[in-house]
Amino acid sequence: MLKSHIHQVSNSISLPPLSTPFIIDQHSSSSAISRNVLVKKRRGGSIRNMSASTTTTATMISTSSVDKFAMVKGVISVQPTISGVLTSVTVGLIGTVADRVSDLFGKSFLVELVSTDLDSSGNEKETIKAYARPLNDGSKLNKYQCEFKVPYNFGDIGAVLVENQHRQEAYIKDIVLDDGSVIFPCESWVHSKYENPDKRIFFTDKSYLPSKTPVGLKSLREKDLETLRGNGEGERKPFERIYDYDTYNDIGDPDANSDLSRPVLGGDQHPYPRRCRTGRPMTSTEPWSESRTTLPFYVPRDEDFSEIKEVTFGATTLFSVLDGAIPMLESILTDSGLGFSSFMDIGSLYTERVNMIPSNNGLLSAVPRLIQTIVNSTKSYLQFETPRMKERDSFSWFRDEEFCRQTLAGLNPYSIQLVTEWPLTSKLDPEVYGPAESAITKEIVEQEIKGFMTLEEALEQKKLFLLDYHDLLLPYVNKVRELEGTTLYGSRTLMFLTSTGTLRPLAIELTRPPNNGKPQWKHVYTPSRDATDAWLWKLAKAHVLAHDSGYHQLVSHWLRTHGATEPYIIATNRHLSKIHPIHRLLCPHLRYTMQINSLARLALINASGTINTSFSPKKYSMQLSSDAYARDWRFDHEALPADLVSRGMAVEDESAPHGIKLTIEDYPFANDGLLLWDAITRWATTYVNHYYPQPNLVESDTELQAWWTEIRTVGHGDKKDEPWWPQLKTRQDLIKIVTTIMWVCSGHHSAVNFGQYDFAGYFPNRPTIARTKMPNEDPTVEEWEAFISKPEDVLLDSFPTQIQATRVMSILAVLSTHSPDEEYIGTNIEPAWAAEPVIKAAFEEFSGEMKAIETIIDSRNRDTNLRNRRGAGLVPYQLLKPFSEPGVTGKGVPYSISI
């Protein structure tokens, strides 16, 4: 079953409701604690849903002066699980006989109501208890009903305690009292009391700052946080919900093979964000490295959604490819060094079927885009769909203009920067790496500009732009070249902004540092009509594209979104209570990410994973990511406007629409991203100002301050002493911080993720690796003659091997896919937002802005004056359109890093 592959938890409840009558427990309210149930009447005296400002409480209405209590009904909604749906006829897989007996006798869950008040002695009031029984109301959810006898002086209900009487866990969506008078948003797995005797705590949908917490809830608020923090000891159990920090000490596998040893990422030597602690034993060969398993790593139980989302949910599908499709590919393509002999062979990936061994684990059913099963047959075959870029123009990848355009409207719009100083100069030690000054000279530039302007004029008019991977890659060149099947250079690519607003390349510089007595080697390639130079130029572009692909995947994508966000998730759960308004603001942006990250550590960024086997730096890939973090990552620059300014792609301008003026006006990523950034800022501003009406409330919020301190000093602790960390003293400070986090999880991630198959599914457009050196670097006579006689073969030899290409393509297809139940930004209002009229109205305005952004982007893509967006055969820039259909669409912005 799917469950056994995705999460190793005992079992999950997915019980079809029983029609058995409820057997009332006569003692269920005998120990009831006094409490008022807040209820509003409508015409006829019946209870109705309360206004959003008071929906979380309920007040007791007595039917007569003699009544001392009221009867309050509650309904628990339990989400059916995937395994439950697939095996609903098999009692053994859905529930045990003991669980059936619990339901039969009306004791499925024990629920206790908690008052917001203290008793007359200043102690917490005794809770009101009731057991829940199955309720068959015909809905898709499994419902359980309970009834409470609540004293008139109980006070407002602020929380419930839940004890799961089954021997299996259950995913509770919510608990509702009196048809909506009181709502407890849960969205959480509740363990069996037989696994853990502690009762679960759920609060109402009313949000409170710590200082505003009702006295009856204060101890529960702290107790819940203490449970989530844990004690930092022992190996985590699958049912636990503990959030703690650890270094990336588990991406190597030294016990399996010494070649799979990897340095620990995190610490002085290799700074890095922290990941979630699992507590697995250390390896026998390296006591500093954590051991690995073949099954998904621990994540806090509420971070695993594979059982409650559709079978095409990102984590489920990704694991299906990693655990199913890729091993099958490797079993077919047994020659790991075999490349493609022609471009026709590459094209056949999209037109011909490859027979595959049928899978008996059911996993490949989650990958309909890649693996198709012949009807009425036991055979399976592999066929890749044609990426949109190749479908529109098979030769666009060959064009220099498209090469440049994709730095503004492609997969990695985060690298291009303005040239502000000349000559281009390395900051590396020349004693180690050779002369620091670039070989791209003034003469070369002016020759390529062809007299249009001088170099000085081009600099002054902000016409020169750069992709600079020189200093980041050069320290790895000699080490990478010792590995089989790859090579590396430091690279610089210089581009010129034309009068039409498009870029064209001027020069590519490739550099090899001194090694084994050989001096530094560097060469500048330029576009040419000469046959030999033209082919050298094409090969140089392939090397730069491999560099850009690696930087995109390791830095722009993994590090700056997945890796940097995990500490935010951990700190949010450790220090912001579930009823803290900032927790509830960030919650939809932080869902799903930890599970995806754990799968990445399992089979993508690990020593034998796709990144380490199919990208140019190979075994040094993650170490290179650490170097980029140490050198370049700054929280304040993760805000989109600050990022653009830091790269010279914009300047601050209060008169401009977004407060900045773009250096390149037709910069699709920046133009669309700023629309989204501004909308998020406005939404965050209204939200923060509502919950922090007085400026001093931010600095006095103990949970908030602990949260931000831990992000800076622990989650990103290797950067704790940097002066650029924002302070958190004012509402404006808080708005900037949460807006940045929300942008990174939504807009930033979508921009670098959901176009991966469209732009890189046809790998000649974005090869992940360059396997051979340039033909003119110290060639032998035979090597040079082979290049002269058939340069196309040399280009093909530099491309990824068959297994590398298909492995990456399989993963990119999954990473680019939206599931049918994707949660897009501006949709699915959170219960706590709906509970407050001001917040509900602000969200509705925010949602409307998302729809308006859709229209604006469509209009821009129809504008023929915007040549970086529209032209013959071009893929229009849609990556920041907020909404999308399911599948690989090249658009859509989910709230969170959901794949």
Side-chain angles (χ1 to χ4, degrees):
M1 293 309 302
L2 185 62
K3 176 64 176 176
S4 65
H5 291 275
I6 299 299
H7 194 84
Q8 304 308 304
V9 174
S10 55
N11 284 305
S12 301
I13 295 176
S14 184
L15 297 170
L18 300 178
S19 56
T20 310
F22 177 37
I23 301 176
I24 300 176
D25 182 355
Q26 299 298 325
H27 302 288
S28 62
S29 61
S30 62
S31 60
I33 186 171
S34 46
R35 120 122 183 112
N36 264 346
V37 187
L38 207 165
V39 180
K40 277 198 173 181
K41 284 190 174 183
R42 60 183 177 187
R43 292 176 193 167
S46 60
I47 299 171
R48 70 171 175 84
N49 287 346
M50 307 191 57
S51 67
S53 61
T54 56
T55 189
T56 55
T57 55
T59 302
M60 164 73 186
I61 302 292
S62 294
T63 56
S64 74
S65 60
V66 180
D67 290 339
K68 298 287 181 75
F69 59 86
M71 299 306 295
V72 177
K73 291 183 179 180
V75 175
I76 302 173
S77 297
V78 175
Q79 172 75 49
T81 62
I82 290 177
S83 60
V85 170
L86 296 177
T87 60
S88 59
V89 297
T90 311
V91 174
L93 291 178
I94 306 175
T96 63
V97 173
D99 291 342
R100 292 291 185 172
V101 171
S102 295
D103 290 338
L104 181 66
F105 284 93
K107 292 188 176 182
S108 304
F109 299 94
L110 173 62
V111 184
E112 303 180 35
L113 304 181
V114 180
S115 173
T116 60
D117 298 337
L118 301 178
D119 63 22
S120 58
S121 301
N123 299 317
E124 293 177 358
K125 291 184 177 182
E126 187 177 357
T127 59
I128 306 298
K129 299 180 177 67
Y131 282 99
R133 62 178 173 84
L135 171 67
N136 191 351
D137 66 352
S139 71
K140 293 181 179 180
L141 299 175
N142 295 332
K143 301 289 187 72
Y144 298 82
Q145 180 174 292
C146 48
E147 193 168 15
F148 303 91
K149 189 175 181 179
V150 184
Y152 75 93
N153 61 348
F154 188 67
D156 292 344
I157 300 172
V160 291
L161 306 180
V162 179
E163 184 178 75
N164 180 5
Q165 303 293 298
H166 299 96
R167 295 182 180 274
Q168 303 164 325
E169 63 179 354
Y171 188 85
I172 297 182
K173 291 191 67 65
D174 58 39
I175 301 172
V176 178
L177 301 185
D178 281 343
D179 296 325
S181 297
V182 188
I183 299 174
F184 302 90
C186 302
E187 297 292 347
S188 180
W189 292 98
V190 177
H191 55 259
S192 165
K193 72 175 184 179
Y194 300 101
E195 285 186 319
N196 182 353
D198 294 339
K199 297 171 183 174
R200 285 296 310 278
I201 302 167
F202 296 108
F203 299 99
T204 66
D205 54 5
K206 184 171 179 59
S207 301
Y208 298 99
L209 298 179
S211 60
K212 305 293 184 182
T213 307
V215 290
L217 303 181
K218 285 187 174 180
S219 65
L220 282 182
R221 181 172 186 147
E222 181 53 37
K223 180 180 179 181
D224 196 39
L225 285 172
E226 288 176 357
T227 299
L228 292 166
R229 285 193 286 264
N231 60 11
E233 299 176 357
E235 183 172 359
R236 297 275 66 85
K237 298 179 178 62
F239 65 83
E240 292 179 327
R241 299 163 52 243
I242 294 174
Y243 295 78
D244 204 354
Y245 300 94
D246 209 340
T247 58
Y248 280 75
N249 62 353
D250 64 344
I251 57 177
D253 194 5
D255 282 354
N257 189 319
S258 60
D259 289 339
L260 298 180
S261 175
R262 294 292 184 271
V264 174
L265 302 186
D268 293 340
Q269 190 171 2
H270 300 293
Y272 217 61
R274 298 303 189 262
R275 50 97 173 173
C276 183
R277 179 184 178 276
T278 68
R280 298 193 305 275
M282 296 299 172
T283 63
S284 58
T285 53
E286 293 180 357
W288 56 87
S289 296
E290 193 171 80
S291 60
R292 297 179 58 79
T293 67
T294 57
L295 299 172
F297 298 154
Y298 165 85
V299 292
R301 189 63 185 106
D302 286 344
E303 301 296 336
D304 185 346
F305 295 85
S306 54
E307 274 292 304
I308 59 167
K309 300 286 283 184
E310 292 197 22
V311 73
T312 50
F313 169 57
T316 307
T317 308
L318 179 58
F319 188 78
S320 300
V321 169
L322 296 174
D323 196 56
I326 287 178
M328 278 204 274
L329 283 170
E330 291 173 342
S331 70
I332 296 169
L333 304 172
T334 55
D335 185 350
S336 62
L338 183 64
F340 292 89
S341 60
S342 68
F343 282 94
M344 187 178 296
D345 284 349
I346 297 173
S348 69
L349 290 170
Y350 314 100
T351 59
E352 297 180 9
R353 301 169 178 175
V354 177
N355 289 325
M356 302 188 74
I357 302 170
S359 169
N360 59 7
N361 59 14
L363 287 175
L364 295 182
S365 62
V367 201
R369 180 175 184 82
L370 299 177
I371 308 299
Q372 305 176 31
T373 303
I374 301 172
V375 179
N376 299 323
S377 173
T378 59
K379 293 183 178 179
S380 293
Y381 59 84
L382 171 74
Q383 183 177 334
F384 291 94
E385 291 191 10
T386 304
R388 193 170 287 108
M389 182 190 166
K390 177 173 170 53
E391 188 175 52
R392 282 176 169 258
D393 184 351
S394 295
F395 301 102
S396 61
W397 68 278
F398 227 56
R399 293 188 293 107
D400 289 348
E401 293 79 4
E402 181 64 11
F403 170 75
C404 291
R405 187 187 78 92
Q406 289 184 28
T407 66
L408 303 172
L411 205 49
N412 184 29
Y414 273 99
S415 285
I416 186 172
Q417 58 184 289
L418 177 69
V419 176
T420 57
E421 297 179 351
W422 197 269
L424 303 175
T425 305
S426 171
K427 294 181 174 61
L428 298 175
D429 184 356
E431 294 295 323
V432 177
Y433 299 103
E437 188 169 317
S438 169
I440 302 176
T441 62
K442 174 181 178 178
E443 291 73 23
I444 290 175
V445 172
E446 292 183 344
Q447 179 182 342
E448 292 302 314
I449 295 175
K450 295 180 172 61
F452 185 73
M453 62 178 63
T454 65
L455 171 67
E456 291 75 17
E457 289 170 335
L459 289 168
E460 182 181 355
Q461 296 179 34
K462 299 183 177 180
K463 295 290 187 180
L464 297 180
F465 295 85
L466 187 68
L467 285 183
D468 189 356
Y469 299 126
H470 183 277
D471 284 10
L472 182 64
L473 297 182
L474 203 63
Y476 288 91
V477 169
N478 290 331
K479 292 187 289 187
V480 167
R481 286 180 168 221
E482 294 175 359
L483 305 176
E484 184 180 354
T486 187
T487 192
L488 195 64
Y489 295 96
S491 70
R492 296 185 179 102
T493 304
L494 189 65
M495 294 167 282
F496 179 75
L497 181 63
T498 70
S499 59
T500 63
T502 60
L503 293 168
R504 70 176 180 87
L506 300 180
I508 291 173
E509 178 186 35
L510 300 180
T511 304
R512 181 200 69 198
N515 186 36
N516 294 332
K518 291 183 179 181
Q520 181 194 71
W521 178 92
K522 62 176 63 170
H523 190 86
V524 176
Y525 303 88
T526 58
S528 176
R529 294 183 179 180
D530 172 80
T532 300
D533 288 343
W535 272 105
L536 288 173
W537 170 251
K538 291 178 178 65
L539 282 158
K541 281 200 302 180
H543 280 270
V544 169
L545 287 167
H547 302 165
D548 192 62
S549 293
Y551 186 88
H552 159 258
Q553 206 63 264
L554 292 165
V555 181
S556 301
H557 184 196
W558 167 259
L559 171 64
R560 293 182 64 179
T561 64
H562 291 261
T565 296
E566 188 147 344
Y568 310 151
I569 301 170
I570 298 172
T572 297
N573 284 279
R574 285 169 58 87
H575 291 290
L576 297 182
S577 168
K578 300 292 185 183
I579 51 173
H580 196 291
I582 300 303
H583 186 126
R584 284 174 161 166
L585 173 66
L586 295 177
C587 183
H589 294 278
L590 304 181
R591 288 191 187 113
Y592 314 125
T593 305
M594 287 186 73
Q595 186 178 15
I596 294 295
N597 287 2
S598 73
L599 288 175
R601 299 201 327 273
L602 179 72
L604 278 178
I605 64 172
N606 61 304
S608 57
T610 298
I611 297 295
N612 281 265
T613 58
S614 303
F615 284 74
S616 284
K618 283 205 165 182
K619 66 182 290 184
Y620 300 105
S621 292
M622 290 303 291
Q623 192 173 329
L624 188 146
S625 175
S626 168
D627 287 352
Y629 176 73
R631 189 188 74 170
D632 299 329
W633 189 88
R634 295 177 50 156
F635 180 86
D636 58 334
H637 285 180
E638 294 307 291
L640 178 59
D643 168 76
L644 294 169
V645 171
S646 72
R647 292 187 282 121
M649 301 304 292
V651 293
E652 295 181 0
D653 183 349
E654 292 184 1
S655 65
H658 308 286
I660 60 173
K661 182 180 180 181
L662 294 178
T663 309
I664 299 178
E665 291 183 8
D666 184 14
Y667 187 176
F669 159 71
N671 281 305
D672 295 356
L674 287 168
L675 292 175
L676 192 58
W677 170 269
D678 282 358
I680 294 172
T681 300
R682 286 189 287 272
W683 158 235
T685 299
T686 302
Y687 191 98
V688 168
N689 287 340
H690 176 75
Y691 285 106
Y692 294 87
Q694 290 83 42
N696 67 311
L697 289 175
V698 171
E699 199 165 6
S700 64
D701 186 335
T702 54
E703 289 183 5
L704 190 71
Q705 294 299 325
W707 167 77
W708 185 235
T709 297
E710 189 165 279
I711 285 174
R712 292 184 292 108
T713 63
V714 182
H716 285 277
D718 297 334
K719 297 248 179 183
K720 65 180 183 298
D721 297 323
E722 297 287 354
W724 42 253
W725 280 106
Q727 292 183 320
L728 183 51
K729 294 184 176 181
T730 68
R731 288 177 295 193
Q732 194 57 36
D733 293 339
L734 179 56
I735 290 165
K736 288 180 179 178
I737 289 169
V738 297
T739 298
T740 298
I741 292 174
M742 293 156 73
W743 159 257
V744 167
C745 298
S746 56
H748 181 151
H749 180 258
S750 295
V752 299
N753 181 73
F754 289 105
Q756 292 195 83
Y757 194 75
D758 280 344
F759 285 104
Y762 184 65
F763 66 85
N765 183 59
R766 289 188 66 80
T768 59
I769 190 170
R771 295 189 295 137
T772 58
K773 66 182 179 67
M774 290 294 294
N776 65 317
E777 182 203 337
D778 302 333
T780 64
V781 173
E782 292 78 9
E783 288 172 341
W784 185 252
E785 283 302 318
F787 165 66
I788 292 297
S789 63
K790 203 159 186 184
E792 182 178 315
D793 285 354
V794 176
L795 179 60
L796 288 166
D797 287 344
S798 75
F799 282 159
T801 64
Q802 292 185 18
I803 185 59
Q804 288 171 334
T806 53
R807 189 174 186 174
V808 170
M809 289 163 63
S810 300
I811 291 171
L812 295 187
V814 174
L815 296 181
S816 303
T817 300
H818 291 293
S819 65
D821 49 0
E822 190 81 84
E823 297 166 21
Y824 297 101
I825 191 166
T827 61
N828 299 347
I829 187 169
E830 295 286 302
W833 302 349
E836 292 287 340
V838 172
I839 302 303
K840 182 180 180 182
F843 176 78
E844 289 171 348
E845 183 176 344
F846 176 63
S847 182
E849 287 191 70
M850 295 301 103
K851 295 172 185 175
I853 289 173
E854 288 257 318
T855 303
I856 293 171
I857 293 175
D858 284 340
S859 175
R860 288 173 173 175
N861 284 332
R862 290 192 297 269
D863 189 341
T864 56
N865 294 317
L866 301 178
R867 299 190 182 190
N868 291 321
R869 309 186 75 112
R870 184 170 176 82
L874 297 185
V875 176
Y877 192 77
Q878 302 184 99
L879 287 170
L880 291 174
K881 286 187 68 173
F883 312 122
S884 174
E885 308 80 36
V888 178
T889 63
K891 59 184 177 180
V893 181
Y895 277 110
S896 67
I897 304 167
S898 58
I899 182 62

